[in-house]
């Protein structure tokens, strides 16, 4: 067991050195393993009863010697051993530029560290330690959202009121599908905002989409052959892989998934994001939707998973109802989340099951208890029911639209060299190079300007010949950052 | 879609009749399906803007006519169709006693409704509607806990303080394994209270044991042959079944699982509850523990799952450390939960992975995001870290011991006809008949006295010749209920 206890001596070496030596020794002797996270400087300082700056010094020293690495927004991690041995051997003779090269290479694994380029896999602002390694001036993450607009005050008030009721029922176990009142509220919200037709009985509330997909695996059973668009939401792809599902990929065009190609595959289930495909930003055409529904009707046990992850944010044209709203035969499994529209920490997602699958759920999965606490369900229920969610959405829609419009404006000069797409909805858009530049070249050039952008290839699940395409997320950036960031990209790319 | 909207007319029939007629029609015409839950009377009254008593009348009418059934603590559900047709046909000619017989039979499905006789599947106090069908004077559920001792005040204060910090980090996505600070706190708690040896890095925090088992499935992979005791925790059994795991059962004696029998099976993983087996209450002997660990060492990829679900409550002898604490080879997967010790709604459980599985988790499952919200993690962390958990446990230990001792005292007269066991720990004990009476007979006799008790056979996963055995849970009962309940059981059984 790795124990944070460090026996600090009052005489002799200064405190920061003692901490530094101790941790270095722990790493060298393998008690701290590669990839393990160190305690936050705050936690360690508190535990050892020393000033936080003391621990900061110790960590800085370890960092500069390459024992640990700082991951932006996440904290400090023990470096891979191979690197360590390398460093050990070379340490004495390293010149300053060489040392920075080593760090650069480790930093280069940045994309690897953040492999979940995914609509719900919001990853910024991880865990304290924001000060660690500010490598980027601007991070165009397509996953991050604007948390400054969150109505903390309201949330706090609702929480307080609920706790003040002193209702011990709140602390008792709730229904497996989620509390009825919340499901009722969600069903009404989905009906009015997304045209989804469902009774509260069809809704299953769960702690995040990942969990709901795990549950869906139990409902759908084994040996499912699932079709996914290429590119697609990589996290879902990984999850289906972990189910040992047979995954086939289907190409897309500007109208969405190529249903003609789908028919050539022997798939049982198709995973789509019709309102705003991730990462391409495509809104699936009505014709393509009808084709999909017809395909599903073509055989028994065919289903469509509609992941409606960010349909709340749409900037152009009329709102497009969900695929589920056109489904008369009970073929669509509708999934949504509050992570994007409220906050990533709100671990509440929901899934609407068609009747046939609901039966199967009740038969096969009734014993899985709900993963969301009743208090959280109750808070969320009141937040939506009392109109705060609607108001919050309206506010965020305005904000995101302003950012979106600013970004579009800033991107004007890029039009000669890039094609812009995905600009109708969501929190990111895409730039596709007209020329032969590679994605890697674009990423590197941006990195030199300390700008973090994301390549479409992260979302590819099968090879595809495409011009280099970059995703620019704007959710978490303020206007200054967008202007500055794009200005630097202009230098890098144009 | 079942719509709660009922167009109430102000003239003509009275409101309760209109509601009654509407719902009856919905059920007859199949818009409300068997097993669907009706809205709570409170919710429907609010929605329709009528007095709650109006809805109460309507539900009572539906109840008495057998269209719906009331499940204690859960609410109202549409009856199975077959029953309905039967009722429809017979309704006119039914005499009062016959009608009650029909209800009695449905009530007899009670155990079926509550199939998760399980340590973590706490099921009482489900969802409002406590008034529905008070069939039992006393319910000796082995799953229910005493919620009256919960320190709401402290919990509220911690929550308020955390929300008052206005730290928007709280609403950002946390680490997949759970926040480091909470894992650190859990690791310390486990070390001091259960002798568990682990680093925070080995801990995975998740929303309930069911979820953690699902995750464990992904870590262990397919085709696992799992050995379980017989009888065992039925919910875990169902979950492993839903994984399509090959399940073998191993008999137990008063020292725990029969390791000699285990060696005859070709199992990879064994699921045990060494501190307090559910339902038998057995504490696994030291020798048996050593045998289990040796078995695990005997081949690659063998693991022991230690479910330490209620080790906090022990009434006799020294506390017994966890199996994990004796594990030198990294064979034990340790699982625990705060549902039993704090409150069922606290959807926080944890799993301690041995290093080899931790590696696999990081390789295969790193993309599953944490299922517990950061706010909840933070509240729990402070609750434990600041000593409130310890104090709460001490208080509850005293309370449960008082109830336990009272129950033992009340059971004195039963000793002639029953053997008492499982009285060293936990929140239930067992009575095994010395004679040839069947479990069914005991349950029925108790039911006539309006006392709900639970048969051991609910936990059997393979047939076994045993004398009739009854579980008596006392967690949620007060002293008056225990005295009254046992007094009635005395009438019923002695």
């Amino acid at each position: 067991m790795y124990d944070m206890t460090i026996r600090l001596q009052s005489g002799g070496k200064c405190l920061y050195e003692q901490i530094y030596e101790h941790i270095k020794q722990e790493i060298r002797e393998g008690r701290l393993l590669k990839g393990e996270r160190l305690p936050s400087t705050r936690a360690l300082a508190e535990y050892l009863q020393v000033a936080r700056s003391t621990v900061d010094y110790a960590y800085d020293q370890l960092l500069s010697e390459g024992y640990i690495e700082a991951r932006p927004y996440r904290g400090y991690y023990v470096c891979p051993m191979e690197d360590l041995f390398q460093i050990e051997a070379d340490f004495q003779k390293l010149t300053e530029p060489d040392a920075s090269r080593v760090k650069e290479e480790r930093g280069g694994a940045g994309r690897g560290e953040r492999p979940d380029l995914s609509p719900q896999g919001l990853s910024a602002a991880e865990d304290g330690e924001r000060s660690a390694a500010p490598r980027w001036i601007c991070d165009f993450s397509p996953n991050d959202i604007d948390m400054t607009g969150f109505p903390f005050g309201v949330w706090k008030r609702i929480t307080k009121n609920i706790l003040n009721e002193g209702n011990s029922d709140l602390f008792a176990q709730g229904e497996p599908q989620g509390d009825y009142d919340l499901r009722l509220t969600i069903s009404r919200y989905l009906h009015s905002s997304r045209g989804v037709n469902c009774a509260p009985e069809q809704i299953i509330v769960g702690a995040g989409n990942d969990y709901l997909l795990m549950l869906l695996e139990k409902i759908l059973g084994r040996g499912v052959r699932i079709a996914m668009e290429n590119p697609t939401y990589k996290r879902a792809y990984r999850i289906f892989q972990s189910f040992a599902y047979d995954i086939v990929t289907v190409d897309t065009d500007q109208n969405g998934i190529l249903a003609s190609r789908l028919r050539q595959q022997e798939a049982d289930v198709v995973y789509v994001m019709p309102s705003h495909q991730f990462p391409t930003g495509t809104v699936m055409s009505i014709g393509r939707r009808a084709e999909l529904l017809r395909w599903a009707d073509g055989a028994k046990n065919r289903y469509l998973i509609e992941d409606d992850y960010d349909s709340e944010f749409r900037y152009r044209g009329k709102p497009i109802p969900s695929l589920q709203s056109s489904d008369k035969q009970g073929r669509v499994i509708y999934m949504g989340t509050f992570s994007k529209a409220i906050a990533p920490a709100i671990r509440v997602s929901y899934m609407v099951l068609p009747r046939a699958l609901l039966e199967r759920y009740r038969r096969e999965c009734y014993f899985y208890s709900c993963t969301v606490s009743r208090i959280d369900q109750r808070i969320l229920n009141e937040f939506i029911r009392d109109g705060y969610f609607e108001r919050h959405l309206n506010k965020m829609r305005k904000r995101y639209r302003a950012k979106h419009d600013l970004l579009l404006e800033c991107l004007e000069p890029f039009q000669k060299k890039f094609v812009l797409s995905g600009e109708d909805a969501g929190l990111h858009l895409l730039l596709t190079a007209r020329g032969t530049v590679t994605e890697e070249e674009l990423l590197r050039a941006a990195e030199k300007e300390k700008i973090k952008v994301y390549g479409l290839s992260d979302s590819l699940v099968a090879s595809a010949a495409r011009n280099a395409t970059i995703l620019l997320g704007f959710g978490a950036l303020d206007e200054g950052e967008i202007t500055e960031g794009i200005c630097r990209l202009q230098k890098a790319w144009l």
Side-chain angles (χ1 to χ4, degrees), chain A residues 253-491:
Chain A
D253 65 9
Q254 74 286 356
N255 289 320
I257 192 167
L258 287 165
S260 54
R261 301 264 173 92
L262 174 63
R263 277 189 294 271
Q264 292 160 15
Q265 311 273 13
E266 282 183 26
D268 311 301
V269 174
V270 183
Y271 173 89
V272 284
M273 295 160 276
S275 308
H276 187 230
Q277 207 265 357
F278 191 91
T280 64
T282 307
V283 178
M284 197 184 288
S285 70
I286 302 294
R288 212 51 73 75
R289 285 164 192 247
E291 278 187 87
L292 266 190
L293 288 168
R294 265 203 307 279
W295 169 85
D297 277 348
K300 239 182 110 177
N301 286 325
R302 278 190 186 163
Y303 292 99
L304 305 168
I305 301 175
E306 174 175 27
D307 187 351
D308 211 22
Y309 69 100
D310 76 350
S311 56
E312 292 86 357
F313 305 115
R314 191 168 165 73
Y315 310 112
R316 200 181 291 184
K318 277 188 295 185
I320 293 173
S322 64
L323 180 63
Q324 202 268 6
S325 68
S326 316
D327 172 30
K328 304 296 170 216
Q329 310 297 326
R331 296 299 189 167
V332 173
I333 300 155
Y334 179 89
M335 302 188 82
T337 176
F338 292 103
S339 300
K340 203 89 177 178
I342 299 184
I346 307 299
R347 306 301 299 150
V348 186
S349 295
Y350 46 85
M351 168 163 82
V352 179
L353 291 179
R355 295 275 172 184
L357 292 183
L358 186 63
E359 287 274 307
R360 244 193 263 173
Y361 163 80
R362 289 195 173 156
R363 213 168 48 235
E364 316 274 350
C365 300
Y366 62 92
F367 46 81
Y368 285 110
S369 29
C370 187
T371 43
V372 184
S373 85
R374 290 192 93 178
I375 301 179
D376 293 353
Q377 293 188 54
R378 183 79 187 276
I379 296 169
L380 184 60
N381 181 43
E382 301 203 356
F383 188 75
I384 305 171
R385 194 198 58 196
D386 296 349
Y388 299 111
F389 183 51
E390 198 66 39
R391 248 170 283 168
H392 175 60
L393 279 182
N394 289 337
K395 179 167 93 180
M396 295 317 292
R397 241 179 242 122
K398 256 187 222 154
R399 276 203 195 190
Y400 287 138
R401 174 189 291 276
K403 295 181 186 193
H404 170 268
D405 292 352
L406 173 66
L407 181 58
L408 275 186
E409 202 183 303
C410 293
L411 288 175
E412 200 53 51
F414 288 68
Q415 302 265 18
K416 269 187 206 154
K417 286 199 168 178
F418 294 90
V419 180
L420 196 91
S421 61
E423 71 273 32
D424 288 351
L427 304 183
H428 76 278
L429 36 80
L430 296 92
L431 285 182
T432 302
R434 296 182 192 273
T436 55
V437 63
T438 67
E439 190 183 291
E440 195 53 35
E441 286 164 348
L442 291 172
L443 294 177
R444 275 182 197 274
E447 198 174 336
K448 274 194 194 135
E449 290 290 334
K450 300 202 170 208
I451 302 296
K452 180 93 177 133
V453 293
Y454 297 79
L456 182 85
S457 65
D458 287 343
S459 300
L460 285 177
V461 290
S463 62
R466 273 180 179 271
N467 282 14
T469 301
I470 296 291
L471 275 66
L472 294 176
F474 54 84
L477 302 176
D478 64 27
E479 311 207 339
E481 287 168 322
I482 292 175
T483 318
E484 163 86 6
I486 297 301
C487 179
R488 282 171 171 263
L489 282 183
Q490 209 168 337
K491 267 192 259 173

Side-chain angles (χ1 to χ4, degrees), chain A residues 72-83:
Chain A
Y73 306 115
R74 304 188 67 116
Y76 295 93
Y77 291 79
V78 176
C79 284
M81 274 302 183
E82 315 84 74
D83 289 20

Side-chain angles (χ1 to χ4, degrees), chain A residues 6-76:
Chain A
I6 304 176
R7 262 165 261 287
L8 297 174
Q9 274 133 14
S10 48
K13 283 183 183 168
C14 65
L15 290 176
Y16 102 83
E17 261 191 285
Q18 294 184 45
I19 297 171
Y20 152 78
E21 288 286 356
H22 177 88
I23 296 178
K24 189 171 78 175
Q25 216 50 36
E26 293 281 294
I27 295 175
R28 284 189 177 184
E29 291 172 12
R31 279 189 298 275
L32 265 169
L33 295 178
K34 150 196 163 185
E36 278 194 27
R37 193 181 154 211
L38 294 184
S40 71
T41 52
R42 199 190 50 221
L44 187 57
E46 212 174 86
Y47 185 64
L48 298 175
Q49 294 292 305
V50 300
R52 185 160 173 187
S53 56
T54 306
V55 179
D56 278 333
Y57 284 136
Y59 279 22
D60 280 347
Q61 186 69 22
L62 291 163
L63 200 61
S64 67
E65 292 185 20
Y67 284 97
I68 63 175
E69 57 184 356
R71 301 191 190 161
Y73 306 115
R74 304 188 67 116
Y76 295 93

Side-chain angles (χ1 to χ4, degrees), chain A residues 142 145 197 252 354 469:
Chain A
I145 66 169
N197 287 307
T252 57
T469 301

